[in-house]
Amino acid sequence: MSFVNKIKNKSSVVYSKLIDFAFEINSYENTPPAVWAVMSFLNARNVIVNYSEVNNYIAKYDNIVEGILNYLKKFDDNISLYKIYNGKDMKTPAIAIINNTQSNALDFLHIVSINDGNVIFKVFALGNADVMSLPIYEFTRDVSCIVIC
């Protein structure tokens, strides 16, 4: 703990890399998808946050989406929930809300960008964060049309 605190106080860049490495080693296995999506989203915006802080903040809310929105508003007052129709109006980075019909629970993914008519996104599955791509119309039809950005 002292070693990590010393790194945190001396160099935020090295500390950030250490935290990223710790997540990589742990393969995100114990990280709730909402926390992973928030951290991945903020990291894409060059905002470094503490895992425990994000996890504890979101856990205070019965409605996970409300917890995510309120946490992200700490960094950007313009963060909101949007329904997208064709993806052309989608801002990135974003967090997409997908409904996992098997467990009837909310799940999340991080939209990295839109490039050449494709949505590039990271999906948290089986302990890994895989980068995937789908045409905009398929993404909005099959994956998600509700985003936080």
Side-chain angles (χ1 to χ4, degrees):
M1 290 297 285
S2 342
F3 175 69
V4 171
N5 282 331
K6 184 137 182 134
I7 291 173
K8 183 178 181 181
N9 293 330
K10 292 283 185 183
S11 173
S12 62
V13 173
V14 172
Y15 176 74
S16 173
K17 288 181 181 179
L18 178 64
I19 295 302
D20 288 344
F21 184 65
F23 273 119
E24 190 176 318
I25 289 172
N26 197 25
S27 298
Y28 300 101
E29 287 177 18
N30 299 320
T31 303
V35 174
W36 170 83
V38 166
M39 293 187 73
S40 184
F41 170 84
L42 288 173
N43 189 38
R45 296 179 88 185
N46 296 316
V47 176
I48 307 302
V49 292
N50 178 286
Y51 169 84
S52 297
E53 175 189 332
V54 176
N55 189 43
N56 292 339
Y57 192 96
I58 292 173
K60 292 188 302 187
Y61 289 84
D62 291 331
N63 181 325
I64 294 172
V65 174
E66 182 182 4
I68 291 172
L69 280 168
N70 287 334
Y71 185 77
L72 294 177
K73 283 183 183 281
K74 292 171 54 173
F75 304 98
D76 182 349
D77 284 337
N78 295 320
I79 295 288
S80 193
L81 193 64
Y82 296 95
K83 181 167 183 168
I84 51 177
Y85 297 97
N86 60 15
K88 293 178 183 170
D89 54 345
M90 190 185 322
K91 295 186 291 184
T92 60
I95 296 172
I97 303 168
I98 53 179
N99 189 22
N100 183 346
T101 54
Q102 292 175 346
S103 64
N104 205 20
L106 289 178
D107 211 348
F108 304 88
L109 57 84
H110 169 207
I111 300 171
V112 178
S113 65
I114 297 175
N115 193 358
D116 296 328
N118 291 309
V119 178
I120 313 300
F121 57 98
K122 291 181 182 176
V123 113
F124 174 77
L126 302 174
N128 294 310
D130 295 324
V131 176
M132 301 178 74
S133 174
L134 279 176
I136 291 171
Y137 71 91
E138 282 185 40
F139 184 88
T140 55
R141 183 191 68 207
D142 301 334
V143 179
S144 176
C145 64
I146 306 292
V147 295
I148 299 170
C149 55

